[in-house]
């Protein structure tokens, strides 16, 4: 039985998340998505199913709209670190999704 592209994606996503869930020790997950034009980052609490903090190169106040380079990554990294600290997050588990 041939699986669709969507079904394969969901299967792979569950496999990765289950592996991460086994090693998290209650820490939230840092999810990074990078396209050719933008970068977005989220800190996600999987036990509650909520996003605690997020940052993206699409945000106008960061000044990197439409850029996907080292400068943009540095600004987004600083922004997500600040927002995560504000949300009370000290440690995360990394998920490059």
């Amino acid at each position: 039985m041939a699986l669709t592209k969507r079904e394969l994606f969901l299967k792979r996503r569950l496999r990765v998340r289950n592996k991460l869930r086994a090693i998290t020790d209650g820490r939230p997950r840092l999810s990074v998505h990078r396209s050719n034009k933008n970068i977005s980052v989220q800190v996600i609490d999987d036990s509650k199913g909520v996003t605690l903090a997020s940052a993206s190169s699409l945000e106008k106040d960061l000044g990197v709209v439409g850029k996907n380079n080292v400068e943009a990554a540095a600004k987004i990294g600083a922004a997500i670190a600040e927002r995560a600290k504000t949300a009370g997050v000290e440690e995360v588990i990394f998920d490059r999704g």
Side-chain angles (χ1 to χ4, degrees), residues 23-43:
I23 61 170
T24 59
D25 295 328
R27 292 177 289 180
R29 171 170 52 103
L30 178 73
S31 178
V32 178
H33 177 76
R34 186 179 64 89
S35 71
N36 287 337
K37 294 184 178 181
N38 296 296
I39 303 170
S40 62
V41 182
Q42 294 180 321
V43 176

Side-chain angles (χ1 to χ4, degrees), residues 2 11 14-15 39 49 52 60 62 64 69-70 72 75 77 86 91:
K11 197 172 168 180
L14 284 176
R15 183 174 59 239
I39 303 170
L52 303 173
K60 294 190 189 304
L62 292 178
V64 293
N69 54 24
V70 175
K75 286 186 178 181
T86 304
E91 288 185 337

Side-chain angles (χ1 to χ4, degrees), residues 79-90:
I80 194 66
E82 177 185 328
R83 293 172 187 177
K85 289 245 184 204
T86 304
V89 176
E90 294 294 324

Side-chain angles (χ1 to χ4, degrees), residues 50-65:
V50 295
T51 300
L52 303 173
S54 65
S56 172
S57 61
L58 294 172
E59 297 175 17
K60 294 190 189 304
D61 61 334
L62 292 178
V64 293
V65 175

